[in-house]
Amino acid sequence: GDVRGGGGAGGRGGPGGRGGGQAATPPTPPMQRAAADTTPIKSRDEWKRKVMALVDEWLELKSEEEAELTFTELRPRGKPGEAADNMVEFALEKVMENCKNDGERLGVAQLLIIMINSGNLAPVNFDGPVYMSAVEYLSDLVIDIPTIFSNLAIVLAELIKIDVVELPKLRAQCEKAPWFAEDKSPAVKLFEAITAKLKAISATSDQIGNAQTITVQMAGM
């Protein structure tokens, strides 16, 4: 018989059925939006604007559906992985520099976790972006943003707790940063702040212990 018929003659695509003899029409997506812009995103500045707009929309509406839809529309506008990498990098940049308070920072952490749980972001998307946004220029950033260590720790601790950011990898990133040979204090302060935050969010004793050990080892280097 005809495999596509499924329910036999007069099935969904049959004469007078829902499709009126043609192939069944795909279901209408919920919440009609304007047609998505499909032009490729060419510059980091444009990626930054798009990601910051997505994060701001999330902080205002707290709609998982809207956030995921916006991200899904961004994805085909870049090379594979590009939207995800930029999402992490610029979300972290916002956490360090542009969030009004810790509530907003936690909101950004929640957004990243939602994106991880929905499969939009993977641990690999946190490797380069964490280094580029948070670690590479840490010693410069602290001059302008004295609270940078606690700002970052709010989000990094949440990501460490779910094993998306790994403490040994973060340590290795600090050690290869251009400032590390001259001044280890930014790394020590970052790991101190992460340790405190891991305790506050009831991370595992292993995670807290590892963060403490790294802090002590770095301080003694």
Side-chain angles (χ1 to χ4, degrees):
D2 178 5
V3 180
R4 285 177 55 214
R12 283 176 53 179
R18 284 176 52 190
Q22 280 116 33
T25 44
T28 317
M31 277 186 64
Q32 287 298 319
R33 291 161 71 96
D37 184 352
T38 54
T39 19
I41 298 174
K42 291 278 198 274
S43 69
R44 280 175 59 78
D45 281 349
E46 193 181 352
W47 276 113
K48 180 174 178 172
R49 279 199 305 280
K50 297 289 182 196
V51 170
M52 293 292 188
L54 189 162
V55 173
D56 287 339
E57 179 187 62
W58 158 255
L59 291 172
E60 189 184 340
L61 303 176
K62 289 289 167 76
S63 163
E64 292 184 26
E65 187 185 11
E66 277 295 302
E68 288 182 25
L69 216 44
T70 303
F71 183 78
T72 318
E73 288 174 358
L74 286 178
R75 202 190 288 123
R77 300 178 63 187
K79 295 190 271 295
E82 196 175 11
D85 286 353
N86 280 292
M87 176 78 209
V88 174
E89 182 176 348
F90 293 122
L92 284 175
E93 192 174 303
K94 182 164 180 74
V95 163
M96 293 188 293
E97 300 175 21
N98 302 331
C99 280
K100 295 189 193 75
N101 51 46
D102 287 352
E104 281 199 354
R105 289 181 191 97
L106 198 54
V108 176
Q110 288 164 342
L111 174 61
L112 291 172
I113 289 167
I114 286 163
M115 292 291 189
I116 292 159
N117 291 339
S118 62
N120 284 307
L121 297 177
V124 68
N125 301 123
F126 287 79
D127 293 351
V130 167
Y131 179 75
M132 287 187 297
S133 62
V135 177
E136 190 173 8
Y137 302 110
L138 197 54
S139 62
D140 294 336
L141 289 165
V142 72
I143 298 163
D144 297 322
I145 313 162
T147 56
I148 192 151
F149 303 111
S150 60
N151 293 3
L152 269 174
I154 288 170
V155 178
L156 291 178
E158 296 286 348
L159 296 169
I160 289 161
K161 187 179 179 182
I162 59 169
D163 296 322
V164 167
V165 170
E166 296 167 12
L167 286 162
K169 198 173 278 182
L170 188 60
R171 174 189 187 154
Q173 289 185 328
C174 285
E175 289 177 356
K176 77 167 192 183
W179 43 265
F180 189 80
E182 262 176 55
D183 179 14
K184 298 176 181 46
S185 67
V188 174
K189 286 173 184 164
L190 179 61
F191 273 89
E192 279 173 350
I194 288 171
T195 304
K197 201 53 72 177
L198 286 171
K199 289 177 181 172
I201 61 173
S202 308
T204 67
S205 53
D206 273 358
Q207 290 168 331
I208 294 165
N210 289 344
Q212 277 174 323
T213 302
I214 292 172
T215 310
V216 170
Q217 288 173 346
M218 279 185 162
M221 281 171 85

